[in-house]
Amino acid sequence: MRNDVKSVLYSEAVLNEKVAEIGAKITEDYAGKDLLVIGVLKGANIFLGDLVRKIELPVQIDFIAASSYGSSTESSGVVRIMKDLDYSIEGKHVLIVEDIIDTGLTLHYLLDNFRSRNPESLAVCTLLDKPERRKVPIDVKYAGFDIPDEFIVGYGIDYAEKYRNLPYIATLKPEVYE
Ligand code: IMP
Ligand code: MG
């Protein structure tokens, strides 16, 4: 698996540092409040697990599974909810945690959907952002790294359901996609 890696973009140490930084900001911004952190499966799972341990507030966790991708590297533009939230978000301070925002289509759909459930507040946190790929504007409150338009894997993020368990963020050799 590691032989498929072309280059490591963000090492484990760099990711740890960034996650701690974001967690500290969230702790400060939501001081005195309870926070509901919603992870977008499956990609955000690992980031969320590390992030919540850096948030020093009463935190609840829920997950939603949405997909705008098949197993290819191109967005289909069609968003499907495969698993909805377990609990109501009405009156809560909600922070959506994403692995990566690309076209923004997935989050645009989820934000509309969540707004209609009347949370007290709604904000977005993503580890990675590809701003130049955006098709719909998204208001991102916390972003780890802006990255260029390159397909990446690792730290929860997959290619064809593989590489999620890489402890770093990396690009793959072109022959992997053949
Ligand atoms: P969007 O709807 O185009 O913003 O797509 C967001 C989702 O696409 C992310 O949550 C990822 O699951 C997936 N995605 C976008 N870019 C990449 C990438 O470079 N590698 C792997 N998955 C990606
Ligand atoms: Mg995803």
Side-chain angles (χ1 to χ4, degrees), residues 124-136:
V124 172
C125 173
T126 188
L127 179 65
L128 304 174
D129 193 359
K130 289 181 183 170
E132 64 190 74
R133 293 263 303 165
R134 206 69 98 248
K135 287 186 182 158
V136 284

Side-chain angles (χ1 to χ4, degrees), residues 50-51 67 108 112 127 141 161 165:
D50 284 346
L51 181 65
S67 176
H108 180 77
D112 270 1
L127 179 65
K141 187 163 183 187
E161 294 298 330
N165 59 326

Side-chain angles (χ1 to χ4, degrees), residues 22-23 25-27 29-30 34-40 44 47-48 51-52 55 57 59-64 85 89 92-98 107 111 114 119-126 139-143:
I22 299 171
K25 265 190 223 147
I26 292 170
T27 303
D29 292 352
Y30 289 88
D34 288 13
L35 186 62
L36 172 59
V37 175
I38 296 178
V40 183
F47 173 43
L48 182 144
L51 181 65
V52 290
I55 300 176
L57 297 169
V59 164
Q60 290 179 306
I61 298 173
D62 205 347
F63 292 100
I64 193 162
L85 300 174
I89 64 172
K92 300 204 166 157
H93 293 286
V94 172
L95 183 65
I96 305 184
V97 174
E98 254 289 26
L107 260 186
L111 283 166
F114 286 178
E120 175 71 25
S121 69
L122 185 59
V124 172
C125 173
T126 188
D139 186 9
V140 182
K141 187 163 183 187
Y142 308 97

Side-chain angles (χ1 to χ4, degrees), residues 98-117:
E98 254 289 26
D99 50 358
I100 177 165
I101 307 176
D102 186 31
T103 63
L105 290 168
T106 310
L107 260 186
H108 180 77
Y109 177 88
L110 290 180
L111 283 166
D112 270 1
N113 180 296
F114 286 178
R115 255 181 232 112
S116 72
R117 307 186 198 194

Side-chain angles (χ1 to χ4, degrees), residues 66-69 76-82 105-107 109-110:
S67 176
S68 66
Y69 272 69
S76 67
V78 177
V79 179
R80 285 183 299 161
I81 291 189
M82 343 274 266
L105 290 168
T106 310
L107 260 186
Y109 177 88
L110 290 180

